[in-house]
Amino acid sequence: MLLMGEDRIDEAVAHAAKVLRGAADRDWSVPAGGLDWTCLKTAEHIAGDFVAYAGQLTGRPTDAYVPFETALDDGTGPDGAIRVIEATGRMLAAVVRTTPRGVRAYHPYPCGSADAPGFAAMGVAEVLLHTYDIARALDIDAEPPASLCEAVLAHLFPHVPPAPSGGTPWTTLLWATGRGTLPGRPRLAHWRWHNAASLPAGPLALRQVTPAAAADLAAGGTGGLDWVDGGPFEGTRTAAVMVMKAYAAGVYRPEWGMYALIRTADELAVGGMGFHGPPDDNGCVEVGYDLAEGARGRGYATEALRSLSRWALDRAEVGTVLAVVDPANVASQGVATRAGFTRLPDRAPNLAFGLSRA
């Protein structure tokens, strides 16, 4: 189970508190490993991230961070700093637990906003990694449970290939954040995590499905979503398997992956849509889609296909969006036609429809 939520925050905070209490009697005025901050300042930073992320989800700004800071009282020592990490971590967990689906707030990477699972994942990443930074300086072990590392990687680092031979989820996370090395990979000097994007489409939003959510869908789960009757449909689960295969092979590019179609009026998922992979050398990218039976006949797929096609054709590397449809699937042919696609030479035994940049 790789989905991200308040339980992951609680697990990560408990891990950090246990690790750090093992070194509470040491000198926290020394610089944390790899940072300019002292260990005490790094602990303050962890707490500040927790409160800042909670503030983003409660204040819900769309273009900036909520303007406040968190600081330890003068004279606070290691024991007090650990208690502050525990308290602020629980604050973030409580906010994530009570934030309605669909709420997004400003965060710069990479699409300008994140949802509650995204802020939860960032909080988990911050506490795991900065606990490691402190532990390095104090010469103690800080390796977290592998399941936590896998969840962070599958949510925030979908562009990072999974652990190679000789690596683990923890060493992969350290490599992905410039803190370690992996066999056959150059050390990173610069890095960014990736929050799932949300694209508007009339009454819908197209929300990127992370490898974490795809794994749950592929295993028969909901992907962390609430679905209309009859969902998710078979095509959505098949697409989730494709995402997982690409992720496992280290070739997954999240922007050219899978999107859930969310009806914003009630935050119910009505279907799935996405690409079969990145654009080919000729600038052609193939799209596929399906709707749950309880959501058909309302124009949802057409609206979503228009929106996703516009997004794709705005990318310099795309010249044509291709839809390949079974001849017996008259409904899908109608979706493509209403979205502005025109017939192309058949891709036997299927029909082909294309939309090109004007």
Side-chain angles (χ1 to χ4, degrees):
M1 181 81 167
L2 300 176
L3 295 177
M4 187 62 68
E6 67 274 7
D7 55 336
R8 294 291 189 185
I9 301 172
D10 290 338
E11 184 182 0
V13 169
H15 160 77
K18 181 179 179 180
V19 168
L20 297 177
R21 283 203 169 95
D25 59 343
R26 305 188 188 185
D27 181 8
W28 285 41
S29 67
V30 299
L35 304 177
D36 294 330
W37 299 324
T38 66
C39 293
L40 198 63
K41 185 67 177 179
T42 304
E44 180 184 74
H45 174 78
I46 295 170
D49 281 335
F50 284 153
V51 176
Y53 294 159
Q56 291 303 97
L57 286 172
T58 53
R60 301 172 191 175
T62 59
D63 59 355
Y65 291 110
V66 177
F68 68 95
E69 293 185 0
T70 301
L72 301 176
D73 287 346
D74 290 343
T76 299
D79 283 325
I82 296 166
R83 291 199 302 274
V84 172
I85 289 173
E86 291 176 312
T88 53
R90 289 167 187 152
M91 287 181 191
L92 177 58
V95 170
V96 168
R97 184 181 301 113
T98 56
T99 298
R101 290 188 185 277
V103 167
R104 296 181 72 89
Y106 174 78
H107 191 277
Y109 309 126
C111 58
S113 68
D115 58 7
F119 281 108
M122 289 186 284
V124 171
E126 292 282 1
V127 70
L128 295 184
L129 294 166
H130 287 312
T131 294
Y132 168 77
D133 295 334
I134 296 170
R136 283 177 63 195
L138 303 181
D139 196 27
I140 55 174
D141 179 62
E143 181 169 352
S147 60
L148 267 179
C149 303
E150 288 173 333
V152 171
L153 288 166
H155 199 102
L156 289 181
F157 296 91
H159 52 290
V160 170
S165 177
T168 67
W170 176 228
T171 57
T172 301
L173 181 58
L174 292 177
W175 175 83
T177 55
R179 287 169 167 83
T181 59
L182 280 176
R185 297 184 190 176
R187 190 179 184 112
L188 295 181
H190 304 283
W191 59 273
R192 287 280 184 252
W193 51 45
H194 181 99
N195 273 299
S198 180
L199 308 176
L204 305 177
L206 290 90
R207 297 194 185 136
Q208 277 181 355
V209 174
T210 66
D216 190 63
L217 282 166
T222 66
L225 303 169
D226 292 328
W227 287 84
V228 297
D229 291 342
F233 201 63
E234 179 182 353
T236 295
R237 295 201 188 279
T238 300
V241 172
M242 292 173 60
V243 167
M244 288 309 300
K245 287 181 177 179
Y247 178 61
V251 297
Y252 182 64
R253 290 176 60 185
E255 66 272 30
W256 302 111
M258 178 182 174
Y259 295 76
L261 308 185
I262 308 297
R263 189 166 60 196
T264 55
D266 55 14
E267 284 298 310
L268 291 180
V270 300
M273 182 173 290
F275 303 104
H276 292 192
D280 64 21
D281 293 341
N282 296 317
C284 181
V285 63
E286 185 177 347
V287 67
Y289 44 89
D290 77 353
L291 286 179
E293 291 180 356
R296 295 174 184 174
R298 300 172 186 174
Y300 292 154
T302 300
E303 192 74 46
L305 184 56
R306 285 177 183 147
S307 178
L308 191 60
S309 298
R310 283 195 300 268
W311 178 89
L313 290 170
D314 281 342
R315 314 272 83 75
E317 64 266 44
V318 177
T320 301
V321 180
L322 174 71
V324 178
V325 183
D326 189 307
N329 194 339
V330 177
S332 288
Q333 295 171 40
V335 168
T337 301
R338 288 190 296 273
F341 284 59
T342 58
R343 281 289 299 274
L344 299 177
D346 292 347
R347 302 284 181 100
N350 296 312
L351 308 182
F353 297 79
L355 182 65
S356 298
R357 184 183 295 115

